[in-house]
Amino acid sequence: MGYYFMNINNSCSNNIPVLSSILLFILCLYNPLAISVDDTVRFDANYSPTWGRDHVTVVGDGTQVQLSLDERSGAGFHSNQKYGSGIFRMKLKLPNKKDKGIITTFYLTGLPAGQPTGGPHDEADFEFLGSNGKKFIVSTNVFANDNGDREQQFTLWFDPTLDFHVYEILWNQHHIVFSVDGIPIRVYHNFKAQIGANYPSQQMHVESSIWNMTDWLGPVDWSQGPFVAEYRGFGLDACVHQPSDPQDCHSSKYYWNDPKYWQLTPQQNKLLKYVRRNHLVYDYCGDRKKHFIECKIH
Ligand SMILES: *[C@@H]1O[C@H](CO)[C@@H](O)[C@H](O)[C@H]1NC(C)=O
């Protein structure tokens, strides 16, 4: 099985103009974050189209998928299995168009496949907001047997339309960590035992989609379309949920449940702090209209 190593030297050369020398120092000299994504896994090994099937194109020996959006339809795909824990990684290249009004997603959800909204459920989201071609914003959200509303939004330190980048959600019983190219941008801790805060603990599956969010982001200029998002890396390091033994996915026989993955390393914490200081543009914990118990600890 051939692994594609997207190591940090690669992103060093791409990102030098916008990263501070401190972050570069950590990234390039210590090189702690070599991320491997198995690019050889075929889409149909783990995933299926959910909707807009004629807007889902499988290319590259089945190892790459294009989702397209035009005035007729968007498209989405989902994992065939439901999971109870894991490290969910996808390589994603966003539409290289001025695409204000559209949204590209990669997320975990407990709702049935293809159902974007519903009652209280678990969810962990990456949502890439369409842009005017200048500023690229990724919105993250966590639902914990409720209606979410825990958005944290970040500017990206690179142009996500030029290359594939690795987006990752680690989910175990201790925390959910959102990372971009191995750099943690958000941690949602499990504070259930300490303060009774909700934490996603039901089975979830992976979904990805491209669709128009005219209501939230403004009108789409369809003359710019079609808008095409590309996905690679369809392997899954995750525990398949067994209804007969739901606790199995919390077992330490899965490496992502090991104490090593219960908290960030000091180096990862430095990177997290750096990103939050320089790239965080919205945090629900700082929103006076919202009152989440976990925000009292952050
Ligand atoms: C875009 O969104 C609008 C408003 O929700 C909807 O009426 C329309 O069908 C959508 N178009 C596509 C192509 O999804």
Side-chain angles (χ1 to χ4, degrees):
M1 205 183 275
Y3 278 79
Y4 171 85
F5 284 92
M6 205 219 71
N7 79 34
I8 227 67
N9 290 333
N10 192 352
S11 33
C12 281
S13 51
N14 290 341
N15 298 330
I16 279 173
V18 274
L19 287 180
S20 84
S21 54
I22 295 167
L23 184 59
L24 268 181
F25 182 74
I26 298 167
L27 287 180
C28 300
L29 291 188
Y30 291 92
N31 191 16
L33 304 164
I35 311 152
S36 67
V37 173
D38 189 344
D39 257 2
T40 66
V41 179
R42 291 171 54 92
F43 173 73
D44 60 11
N46 291 312
Y47 291 92
S48 307
T50 315
W51 60 285
R53 276 158 201 262
D54 58 350
H55 286 60
V56 181
T57 310
V58 182
V59 295
D61 290 343
T63 58
Q64 186 165 321
V65 161
Q66 300 174 336
L67 296 185
S68 75
L69 169 70
D70 56 26
E71 58 269 51
R72 284 190 303 118
S73 178
F77 64 82
H78 65 274
S79 65
N80 298 330
Q81 304 272 16
K82 293 175 179 165
Y83 301 93
S85 65
I87 298 181
F88 303 86
R89 250 178 220 145
M90 190 78 77
K91 290 175 72 179
L92 177 47
K93 189 173 162 191
L94 297 177
N96 70 341
K97 297 277 177 66
K98 290 186 175 141
D99 56 1
K100 201 172 171 319
I102 77 171
I103 192 160
T104 307
T105 67
F106 165 53
Y107 63 106
L108 305 176
T109 179
L111 289 173
Q115 187 184 312
T117 56
H121 65 281
D122 291 343
E123 191 173 312
D125 302 320
F126 275 110
E127 296 181 317
F128 302 89
L129 310 189
S131 82
N132 53 12
K134 288 186 207 124
K135 209 160 95 177
F136 299 99
I137 291 183
V138 58
S139 186
T140 62
N141 201 352
V142 174
F143 294 52
N145 193 27
D146 56 25
N147 296 308
D149 228 10
R150 296 185 181 82
E151 292 91 357
Q152 290 188 352
Q153 301 185 339
F154 305 82
T155 52
L156 289 170
W157 50 93
F158 51 82
D159 180 343
T161 72
L162 295 179
D163 290 301
F164 283 95
H165 290 268
V166 181
Y167 303 94
E168 176 185 304
I169 303 170
L170 177 150
W171 173 39
N172 61 29
Q173 279 306 292
H174 298 269
H175 56 191
I176 293 174
V177 182
F178 295 83
S179 303
V180 176
D181 290 333
I183 298 172
I185 64 168
R186 175 178 187 176
V187 179
Y188 183 80
H189 296 278
N190 186 348
F191 286 138
K192 192 158 194 87
Q194 281 112 306
I195 54 167
N198 287 358
Y199 191 78
S201 49
Q202 305 293 311
Q203 71 272 23
M204 296 197 275
H205 69 275
V206 185
E207 294 236 9
S208 286
S209 57
I210 186 165
W211 52 297
N212 97 68
M213 281 206 80
T214 305
D215 302 346
W216 186 26
L217 301 171
V220 178
D221 176 4
W222 294 114
S223 71
Q224 300 264 343
F227 305 96
V228 179
E230 297 181 88
Y231 294 82
R232 297 184 65 86
F234 298 110
L236 278 157
D237 270 14
C239 169
V240 175
H241 171 78
Q242 310 284 354
S244 59
D245 186 10
Q247 293 305 311
D248 174 65
C249 286
H250 305 161
S251 154
S252 61
K253 72 186 180 211
Y254 301 108
Y255 75 86
W256 52 85
N257 291 330
D258 193 85
K260 213 170 87 183
Y261 291 88
W262 292 3
Q263 55 190 22
L264 300 185
T265 65
Q267 211 163 50
Q268 287 175 318
N269 261 316
K270 262 187 217 157
L271 292 169
L272 178 76
K273 283 210 180 95
Y274 175 85
V275 170
R276 299 184 68 82
R277 208 163 41 233
N278 294 283
H279 295 280
L280 183 69
V281 291
Y282 173 82
D283 183 354
Y284 75 108
C285 279
D287 189 330
R288 287 175 191 204
K289 295 189 292 284
K290 297 185 179 181
H291 304 282
F292 285 90
I293 189 170
E294 68 272 12
C295 295
K296 298 193 170 120
I297 300 194
H298 279 157

